[in-house]
């Protein structure tokens, strides 16, 4: 931050060309006086007149630079667009304006259009539409960081339009951008004007996901899942004797005539369920390559959470999100389109955070999970604390499903002594831990998009409806 007691730098400063013109004019005049030669005065006159004519009109205000972006619903792999504008608020035209912009590495800029002036990009003249990307993710922000040169007329603005592809979810910086302009035929140059960056929100792309209707316990009032409670629904539960309050259209006349007493068909109520998606953010592994490359643990976790939430919210269920980590962020359970948008916003802030302390009490202590909720835990199972958390949830009587988010193509570092042997031993230890979790009644399945949880949800629902031994 600039010291308020220090004077602000001048908006316009002379260039080396201006200094050379003044110096040369002064030397010629001094030599003409010392040597008494009039021809040197004549030789200095064009330099003096040219410099005076060029600076006769000089702007008083610096150029204006601002950044604007697309406020639409941007998803991974979608088109991203932004505009960097340089404006001339004065009455003197800018001879040359050099404009540069920087964007996040996860926003691949493939096309740059500079409208409103004659443009030259990276030292060469370009037309109104200049394609400068080669389609590689490794381009990073180099494409947008190239200098673009244009002229700006008085009281107008020139827009540098950047268009490309969003490679990864998150909040990515679009900017900063800076510009410097030259006037008076290059004798005066402005100070660098910097525009603050804006953040482009890129939502995770939801992979196609389908799950069976079976839920362990449907505890709401209305919904699409068949519960075990009698009520108004479409699932036949049996036939019973007519009682006061039963509807006449429910009378089963065949059974009533055979039993010589009125009987009605009883049904199971259709209710909604509560789904809690728990994100294990204690560790990160793998390398993120964007939407078209490899996926890290965090990428798989966020995309799977978005897909699961979208599926169950579309069915009318209540969805809540929790973070198993030091921050212990949570999103209260709700339903509807508004909750889905809130889920996407919430997922943009997910970060891997290691912690030396056990976050179980911090996550589950103040607010207890509903006993009827289905808890879907997205975890790479890289730490023993994660396995202990799953076992404690299962012992508390909740319905838990663990989704393994570790990349299948994770490989050990090469040529590092015993690294490969240590990696194989770690894999064996991890497989043993997963087998122990399954013995505790925690199903562990890898995330594979559509149908990942079908068989697991059937097993969990069957377990929930099974009779309990010993009255427990």
């Amino acid at each position: 931050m600039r010291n308020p007691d220090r004077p602000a730098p001048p908006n316009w400063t002379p260039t080396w060309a201006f200094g050379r013109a003044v110096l040369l004019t002064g030397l010629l005049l001094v030599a003409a006086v010392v040597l008494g030669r009039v021809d040197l005065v004549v030789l200095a006159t064009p330099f003096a007149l040219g410099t005076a004519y060029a600076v006769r009109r000089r702007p008083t205000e610096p150029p204006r630079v601002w950044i604007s972006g697309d406020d639409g619903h941007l998803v991974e792999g979608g088109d991203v667009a932004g505009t960097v504008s340089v404006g001339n608020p004065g009455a003197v035209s800018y001879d040359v304006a050099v404009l540069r912009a920087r964007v996040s590495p996860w926003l691949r800029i493939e096309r740059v259009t500079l409208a409103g002036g004659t443009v030259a990009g990276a030292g060469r003249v370009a037309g109104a539409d200049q394609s400068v990307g080669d389609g590689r993710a490794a381009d990073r922000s180099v494409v947008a960081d190239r200098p673009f040169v244009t002229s700006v007329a008085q009281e107008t603005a020139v827009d540098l339009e950047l268009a490309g592809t969003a490679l990864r979810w998150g909040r990515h910086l679009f900017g900063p951008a800076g510009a410097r302009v030259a006037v008076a035929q290059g004798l005066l140059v402005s100070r660098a004007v910097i525009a603050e960056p804006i953040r482009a929100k890129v939502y995770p792309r939801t992979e196609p996901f389908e799950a069976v209707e079976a839920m362990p316990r449907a505890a709401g009032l209305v919904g699409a899942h068949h519960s075990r409670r009698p009520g108004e629904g479409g699932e036949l539960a049996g036939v019973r004797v007519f009682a006061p309050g039963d509807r006449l259209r429910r009378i089963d006349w065949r059974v009533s005539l055979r039993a010589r007493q009125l009987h009605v068909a009883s049904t199971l109520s259709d209710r909604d369920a509560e789904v809690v998606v728990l994100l294990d953010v204690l560790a990160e592994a793998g390398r993120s390559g964007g939407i078209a490359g490899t996926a890290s643990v965090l990428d798989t976790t966020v995309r799977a959470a978005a897909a699961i939430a979208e599926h169950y919210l579309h069915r009318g269920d209540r969805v809540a999100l929790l973070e198993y980590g030091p921050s212990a962020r949570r999103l209260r359970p709700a339903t509807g389109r508004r909750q889905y948008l809130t889920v996407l916003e919430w997922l943009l802030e997910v970060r891997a955070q290691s912690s030396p302390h056990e976050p179980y009490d911090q996550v589950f202590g103040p607010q207890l999970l509903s006993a009827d909720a289905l808890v879907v835990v997205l975890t790479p199972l890289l730490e023993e604390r994660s396995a202990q958390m799953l076992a404690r949830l299962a012992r508390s009587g909740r319905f838990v499903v663990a989704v393994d988010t570790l990349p299948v193509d994770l490989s050990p570092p090469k040529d590092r002594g015993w690294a490969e042997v240590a990696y194989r031993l770690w894999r064996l230890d991890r497989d043993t831990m997963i087998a122990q979790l399954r013995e505790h009644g925690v199903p562990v399945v890898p995330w594979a998009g559509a149908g990942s949880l079908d068989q697991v949800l059937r097993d969990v629902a069957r377990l929930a409806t099974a009779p309990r031994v010993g009255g427990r």
Side-chain angles (χ1 to χ4, degrees), residues 278-283 297 301 324 377-382 386 389:
L278 180 61
L279 284 69
D280 182 3
V281 295
L282 290 178
V297 167
T301 299
Y324 188 70
V377 183
L378 304 172
T379 173
L381 292 173
L382 293 175
S386 302
M389 176 265 295

Side-chain angles (χ1 to χ4, degrees), residues 75-399:
V75 185
E76 287 179 306
D79 296 332
V80 60
T83 302
V84 180
S85 304
V86 53
N88 181 2
V92 179
S93 301
Y94 297 157
D95 298 331
V96 173
V98 181
L99 185 63
R100 303 185 73 169
R102 180 171 290 275
V103 299
S104 168
W106 296 113
L107 301 178
R108 184 178 62 193
I109 302 301
E110 301 168 337
R111 186 176 66 259
V112 178
T113 304
L114 212 161
T118 304
V119 53
R124 60 179 181 177
V125 177
D129 191 351
Q130 180 183 6
S131 179
V132 294
D134 60 0
R136 296 179 300 170
D139 287 341
R140 308 304 239 179
S141 60
V142 177
V143 171
D145 192 44
R146 297 170 61 181
F148 293 89
V149 183
T150 182
S151 59
V152 185
Q154 58 186 15
E155 298 180 351
T156 59
V158 174
D159 298 331
L160 179 66
E161 299 176 356
L162 308 177
T165 306
L167 300 180
R168 189 174 184 263
W169 59 272
R171 301 181 187 271
H172 304 302
L173 290 179
F174 202 101
R180 297 190 71 177
V181 302
V183 296
Q185 299 180 5
L187 299 180
L188 298 177
V189 65
S190 72
R191 61 180 175 88
V193 180
I194 306 297
E196 293 296 328
I198 62 175
R199 290 189 178 272
K201 295 187 295 185
V202 181
Y203 298 113
R205 188 175 69 177
T206 55
E207 302 178 9
F209 173 70
E210 298 176 358
V212 295
E213 296 184 8
M215 293 293 289
R217 290 176 185 168
L221 298 178
V222 294
H225 300 290
H226 301 313
S227 71
R228 294 182 296 168
R229 300 180 182 181
E232 295 295 329
E235 184 72 11
L236 183 63
V239 180
R240 57 176 176 81
V241 179
F242 180 86
D246 289 336
R247 297 187 179 184
L248 297 179
R249 62 184 181 89
R250 294 283 187 180
I251 297 178
D252 191 328
W253 293 106
R254 291 184 180 180
V255 178
S256 299
L257 292 175
R258 187 167 55 247
R260 298 181 180 277
Q261 187 179 7
L262 287 179
H263 283 70
V264 294
S266 61
T267 56
L268 298 177
S269 60
D270 295 335
R271 298 171 181 259
D272 66 346
E274 180 177 335
V275 180
V276 179
V277 183
L278 180 61
L279 284 69
D280 182 3
V281 295
L282 290 178
E284 167 71 316
R287 178 175 297 180
S288 177
I291 193 63
T294 58
S296 65
V297 167
L298 209 59
D299 290 340
T300 304
T301 299
V302 170
R303 291 165 186 163
I308 295 173
E310 181 185 25
H311 172 78
Y312 286 109
L313 287 173
H314 182 70
R315 297 185 58 82
D317 297 322
R318 300 184 306 279
V319 175
L321 271 71
L322 291 175
E323 265 190 9
Y324 188 70
S327 61
R329 293 194 310 134
R330 64 178 60 242
L331 179 65
R332 62 176 181 83
T335 186
R337 173 70 177 176
R338 183 176 181 180
Q339 178 71 357
Y340 175 62
L341 297 178
T342 306
V343 165
L344 293 180
E345 292 284 345
W346 192 90
L347 289 175
L348 294 183
E349 304 298 333
V350 174
R351 299 290 183 273
Q353 301 174 339
S354 60
S355 173
H357 307 290
E358 171 58 54
Y360 187 90
D361 294 334
Q362 185 178 0
V363 175
F364 302 106
Q367 293 90 3
L368 296 177
L369 293 176
S370 173
D372 297 323
L374 171 65
V375 184
V376 181
V377 183
L378 304 172
T379 173
L381 292 173
L382 293 175
E383 293 200 17
E384 187 177 354
R385 290 177 295 176
S386 302
Q388 294 175 354
M389 176 265 295
L390 289 170
R392 292 174 68 178
L393 282 177
R395 286 197 300 267
S396 65
R398 293 181 173 85
F399 303 100

